[in-house]
Amino acid sequence: MPDRIHSYVHLHLVSDATGETLIAVARAVAAQYASVRAIEHVYPLVRSQKQLERVITDIEDAPGIVLYTLIGAELSERLEKRCKEIGTPCVSVLAPVLGVFRSYLGTESTPRIGGQHVLNTEYFRRIDALNYTLLHDDGQMPEDLNEADVVLVGISRTSKTPTSIYLANRGIKTANIPVVPGIPLPPQLDEVTKPLIVGLIASPERIVQIRQNRLLSLNADDNTAYVDKSSVAAEIAFTRKLCARQGWPLIDVTRRSIEETAAAILAHYKEHANDA
């Protein structure tokens, strides 16, 4: 078959659960093709033939790549058969991994739709972490900082809040404290013994750009030290000195995604837990 070059590709993601696994896998792979735009069609909670037929109709209307996580053999077979008939690649994302488990363990799996979303202890730990994190955003409720697993400190626009929420989704209770020129940090921060404290910084150019966009969205005056490059550089220098003095790890988020920042924090957290 001759090579075909597409500027876009339709991705049909078919799941009998939430589809989160498929979305994560599809985006991880699609990111490797910078010149191709992936158009996602997500079909969660597909659990009947009637629902599947609607999906197949959409696939016929916009052929592309089909990825699926369907536990029921009947639905899987129907989807694969129809995709083969219309010449569309169709892949079960979990099948290769299930095969490795089956081979290694010497036993068959027990099919459970959405098995990773059961209401177990881990699930409720994540909910507890989210509740704590939302209540301790932007320096709120510092009196119980010692209950946190991680405390993030940094100047405005260093992605403290989204990083905190991402960590909370991993079951890590996370508080974040803003570093503001002329305003002392909460005294409770000097008294904590349990949490890992991590400083976040970014380049002055990046901070200024984000802050300018923020002011623009608020229709606010940008003639302020908040977006002055030298003032921002001074804030960053202060954060560096603070973290060095306290012995807190410091992470530059300039070129990091939230996920990459969180991964670096989790690596520090693992070391912190081992040393405790």
Side-chain angles (χ1 to χ4, degrees), residues 20-153:
E20 291 177 14
T21 299
L22 283 173
I23 292 170
V25 170
R27 290 179 180 175
V29 175
Q32 309 307 311
Y33 296 87
S35 62
V36 178
R37 183 170 71 92
I39 302 173
E40 294 179 358
H41 307 264
V42 184
Y43 311 95
L45 305 174
V46 177
R47 299 178 181 179
S48 70
Q49 286 289 349
K50 185 176 181 180
Q51 291 171 320
L52 183 61
E53 290 306 318
R54 295 196 195 101
V55 173
I56 290 174
T57 298
D58 282 355
I59 295 170
E60 292 171 342
D61 290 340
I65 298 172
V66 179
L67 305 179
Y68 74 88
T69 51
L70 297 172
I71 297 299
E74 188 176 346
L75 294 179
S76 300
E77 290 169 3
R78 169 59 181 153
L79 179 61
E80 289 197 0
K81 179 182 178 182
R82 187 63 188 124
C83 285
K84 185 176 182 180
E85 290 171 350
I86 63 178
T88 294
C90 181
V91 179
S92 169
V93 168
L94 296 181
V97 183
L98 285 169
V100 171
F101 270 66
R102 181 171 59 248
S103 175
Y104 187 81
L105 299 175
T107 184
E108 292 293 329
S109 62
T110 302
R112 287 197 302 167
I113 295 175
Q116 72 271 43
H117 300 298
V118 294
L119 304 183
N120 55 14
T121 302
E122 175 64 23
Y123 174 82
F124 288 108
R125 186 168 75 91
R126 288 194 293 115
I127 296 301
D128 188 37
L130 275 168
N131 285 332
Y132 178 91
T133 299
L134 292 173
L135 287 172
H136 295 79
D137 181 42
D138 202 31
Q140 298 182 81
M141 297 180 63
E143 58 273 9
D144 57 353
L145 276 180
N146 207 46
E147 293 181 18
D149 298 311
V150 170
V151 178
L152 303 181
V153 298

Side-chain angles (χ1 to χ4, degrees), residues 11 64 67 91 113 143 145 148 153-154 167 173 185-186 201 215 223 229-230 233 235 238 244 252 255 261 264:
L11 285 179
L67 305 179
V91 179
I113 295 175
E143 58 273 9
L145 276 180
V153 298
L167 289 169
K173 289 183 178 180
L185 293 171
I201 60 168
L215 292 179
N223 186 23
K229 187 175 178 181
S230 60
E235 293 180 47
F238 176 81
D252 189 330
R255 299 185 181 278
T261 300

Side-chain angles (χ1 to χ4, degrees), residues 152-169:
L152 303 181
V153 298
I155 64 174
S156 171
R157 305 294 117 185
T158 49
S159 302
K160 296 187 298 299
T161 295
T163 303
S164 296
I165 293 173
Y166 185 92
L167 289 169
N169 271 298

